[in-house]
Every structure is written in C-alpha cells, then in structure tokens.
Amino acid sequence: MPVILCGLPLSFGQSCLRFSAQADRRIVLQALTGAMAEMAQDHGCGFLCLKEFAEEECEGFGTLQDSGYLRLPSLPSCRLRLHAESFEAFLDTMRSGYRRQARADAETFARRGIAVRRCADLAGTAATLHRFYLTVLDRAEFEVERIPRRFFDLLGHRLGAEASALMLERDGQPIASATVLEAGGKLTFLLSGLDETVADATEMHPLIVCAVLNEAIRRGTPVVELGQTAYGAKMRYGAEPCPRRFYLRHRSVLLHSLLRGATPLLFPARHWPARQVFRDH
C-alpha cells in the first residue's frame, strides 16, 4: 500500500519534523499536510502519515486531529541514560542478575576473539556497512524501504565527525557493524549490520548493543537512543521504552471511516513490563 510519509521510510524512532521557536505550528502543519495531500493525489496514493513523535512533541498537533488525522500508538523507542565513567562502573550499578548477563556479553567478545574497531571516517567502510545492512533487512519480517549505498557515503560527507561506525571484527575480518550519530548530547544507534555468514543474529545483536554502550561511555555521552527494535537486548541493559505516536489518515472518507473503526485491531498499543535493572531503582 503506497503511503506518503512525512519523515524517512526508516525506523530510527525519531521524528524528522522540526519547528523554529517562532513558528506557528498550526500554519506550518496546514501547509505541510496540504502539500502531502497534493502529492498523494498526483501519485494516486490514499494514505498520509506523519511519524515518529515523542509525547512532548505532540503538543500543538491538535490541527492534525481537527483535519481528520488519527493519533495512533507506534512502537516505542528505547533510551538509556548513562552516569558512569567506565563500562565496569556501569555494570556495578546493575542488579546481580542483569550484571551477570552483561558480563557474559563482554566475555563473549574475548571467547570468540571479537574486537571492536572505531571508524571515524565512513568513506572507507560505506560499502561494508551497506552490505551488512542489507543482510539484516533480508532477514526482517517487514520492510518499508531500502537505503541505497549513497546514504552511507553521504553520512560521512555531510555530517563529518558526528557520524561514525563500530566494526566488530574476528581475525581482522568484519562480521557485524553499528552506525551511530553523536549530536545534541546523545548518541543515536542508527543501523546495525551483519555479515551474511553470521548464522545467529539473535546472539550477535546483544554484542552490537554492548559495543554501542561501551562507545557511548568512552565518549562521555549521557544519553543513548537505541531505536525501535530488539527490545529484550536493550532493556536488559536498562534502556527504557519511550512512547512514540504517528498520525494517519486516508483520503477516501469511506476508507478513513473504516480505518477509524479498526484502529484498536490494526494499531494496538504495545507495552513492555518495566525492569528493575539498576540497584538504586
């Protein structure tokens, strides 16, 4: 089903819509949704969607609902606040059960002979990052869009030192990767990747998360945004699910009425039980 999206057709768990301090949100949203509607008509597209908004970002979005958009629950994004000078100090803040799991991840690096290489210049790793990203996408249950190789080339070219990668290597050969972005006092875990020869992605992903957290602590970054996937691997490190919302409507009055009636079935709110990972909670 073709959809006109305000934002990237990717799951970074954050909105691509920004307002200046002086902007009148009502006028901006009217202009934006009007342009989206014209584009939808030109392409014969029924659905229009704006995503992924944190709860506080939805303030002043009444204009969307007044014009018929449905405010719906999306998958939450995971966020972790770090207050440790080293990874070992971070582990010491955990309750014993979670600390054992985290130590097991760290020990797996040594047992498997895996080393983490930091790639500040993405130019030399763009091809590998893209190939590894495609491997993850090929194994995904759902797919909206595929990022072209050019995306990784431009990350380094346009964003400079803000964008970098972590390459997990065994015997000097890359087997997994994490593309990250540091800006605004936080480190955002953008994309993970796997070599096509890696058989068990569920076992490798906690190691990628572990590498990202190590990097955030090394940089002294207080907040890590971990995205909307693999909740188990992230929450056992103490990440908290942060609700996200999206706005949706169909240009057809009849189909929109059917969509409104079916929202509890089509878009159920997802909840993950809170975990007491840290000793001071």
Side-chain angles (χ1 to χ4, degrees):
M1 295 181 291
V3 182
I4 299 295
L5 292 173
C6 173
L8 298 175
L10 306 167
S11 181
F12 290 152
Q14 299 180 53
S15 164
C16 293
L17 181 58
R18 297 291 183 270
F19 299 90
S20 70
Q22 300 78 23
D24 185 324
R25 293 194 173 196
R26 181 181 59 84
I27 294 176
V28 171
L29 289 171
Q30 286 177 345
L32 178 62
T33 53
M36 290 172 62
E38 290 179 7
M39 184 184 296
Q41 184 171 2
D42 291 342
H43 291 273
C45 177
F47 288 100
L48 298 96
C49 178
L50 297 90
K51 67 180 188 80
E52 305 270 348
F53 299 99
E55 294 286 358
E56 61 271 17
E57 292 177 314
C58 295
E59 296 179 9
F61 278 21
T63 299
L64 291 176
Q65 291 173 275
D66 291 343
S67 59
Y69 279 83
L70 304 174
R71 183 174 182 262
L72 301 169
S74 185
L75 292 173
S77 185
C78 288
R79 177 180 298 163
L80 179 59
R81 299 186 184 278
L82 296 168
H83 304 283
E85 295 181 355
S86 67
F87 190 71
E88 191 62 33
F90 171 66
L91 296 184
D92 286 341
T93 66
M94 290 181 165
R95 295 161 67 97
S96 59
Y98 290 101
R99 187 166 60 249
R100 282 195 297 271
Q101 294 180 73
R103 288 194 192 282
D105 289 341
E107 291 167 0
T108 300
F109 279 94
R111 188 175 67 253
R112 292 191 175 189
I114 298 174
V116 179
R117 178 168 59 92
R118 300 176 182 89
C119 306
D121 181 8
L122 294 185
T125 58
T128 301
L129 292 173
H130 185 237
R131 177 167 60 87
F132 283 10
Y133 155 75
L134 292 179
T135 298
V136 171
L137 206 61
D138 287 340
R139 300 178 184 184
E141 184 179 1
F142 302 105
E143 177 184 335
V144 178
E145 185 59 276
R146 292 197 166 215
I147 302 173
R149 157 72 187 275
R150 183 76 170 146
F151 176 87
F152 292 93
D153 291 327
L154 290 176
L155 267 182
H157 178 67
R158 297 285 178 85
L159 300 180
E162 291 183 350
S164 59
L166 302 174
M167 203 68 72
L168 281 65
E169 299 179 335
R170 185 166 52 210
D171 298 328
Q173 296 299 315
I175 59 172
S177 65
T179 307
V180 298
L181 176 70
E182 183 178 11
K186 62 184 178 182
L187 187 73
T188 300
F189 179 14
L190 294 178
L191 295 163
S192 63
L194 292 172
D195 183 71
E196 56 268 18
T197 62
V198 174
D200 193 348
T202 57
E203 188 176 21
M204 183 59 68
H205 198 76
L207 301 185
I208 298 174
V209 174
C210 181
V212 171
L213 296 183
N214 261 292
E215 180 66 9
I217 293 171
R218 186 189 72 82
R219 298 187 187 196
T221 311
V223 178
V224 186
E225 293 285 353
L226 293 167
Q228 294 172 291
T229 60
Y231 293 95
K234 297 166 183 176
M235 291 180 64
R236 68 181 176 88
Y237 273 100
E240 298 180 350
C242 301
R244 292 290 182 267
R245 302 288 179 179
F246 71 99
Y247 293 82
L248 181 70
R249 84 173 183 90
H250 199 283
R251 291 194 301 125
S252 164
V253 175
L254 174 60
L255 292 178
H256 188 72
S257 297
L258 295 174
L259 180 67
R260 183 188 298 275
T263 50
L265 294 175
L266 294 175
F267 309 104
R270 301 286 301 277
H271 300 284
W272 280 262
R275 299 190 184 189
Q276 292 187 347
V277 174
F278 301 107
R279 288 181 295 171
D280 57 348
H281 281 193

